[in-house]
Amino acid sequence: MNVKHKKGIIAECYAKAWLLENFNCMVYTPENGLGPIDIIARYKDGSVRYFDVKSVSRRKDKSLINRGSKDKKIEIIYVNLKTKEVRIKKNGKKRKKIKNNNFYEKW
């Protein structure tokens, strides 16, 4: 297995655990692991959110590589594998940080 694939699998596991711990929602993942959606989160009130998980990547000059989604329903979850930081980016908007059990979310 390629190193990038391993990073992706680990990032997805952190994101699922973080969602379960901080939002108390049901977490679903696609069976074959392919497609634009990595995680579907369903909340007690019946609302659903769709996520694409990415591990944080940096350029040689240390600036972040940002990714977006063409579908506005899909939110990006960034996972920093070194610091275990998790944040959600929705439709290109950055939001304030909220500290939760060594994890962070930019809302």
Side-chain angles (χ1 to χ4, degrees):
M1 183 182 292
N2 166 331
V3 174
K4 285 187 178 184
H5 291 139
K6 285 182 186 178
K7 280 184 174 182
I9 291 168
I10 293 167
E12 200 170 307
C13 289
Y14 277 125
K16 288 189 281 189
W18 181 78
L19 285 168
L20 286 168
E21 185 176 323
N22 294 297
F23 293 100
N24 195 23
C25 59
M26 296 298 294
V27 176
Y28 303 96
T29 55
E31 190 172 320
N32 61 4
L34 298 174
I37 297 171
D38 292 326
I39 297 173
I40 299 171
R42 187 167 190 269
Y43 298 87
K44 288 183 179 181
D45 65 359
S47 63
V48 177
R49 290 169 78 181
Y50 305 99
F51 298 105
D52 185 15
V53 179
K54 303 289 183 191
S55 59
V56 172
S57 299
R58 296 188 179 271
R59 295 182 182 90
K60 288 183 181 180
D61 67 356
K62 305 291 183 196
S63 62
L64 285 175
I65 298 173
N66 290 311
R67 296 172 183 90
S69 174
K70 293 178 183 176
D71 188 342
K72 294 190 179 193
K73 292 180 183 176
I74 301 173
E75 302 172 64
I76 306 293
I77 294 182
Y78 286 104
V79 179
N80 187 330
L81 297 175
K82 291 181 182 176
T83 64
K84 312 296 188 280
E85 181 183 15
V86 177
R87 67 182 174 101
I88 297 174
K89 178 183 175 186
K90 182 176 180 179
N91 300 332
K93 297 178 183 175
K94 292 182 182 176
R95 298 187 172 119
K96 68 178 182 175
K97 278 188 177 182
I98 300 171
K99 186 174 181 178
N100 290 326
N101 302 330
N102 297 327
F103 290 104
Y104 293 85
E105 177 184 16
K106 286 190 178 176
W107 266 114

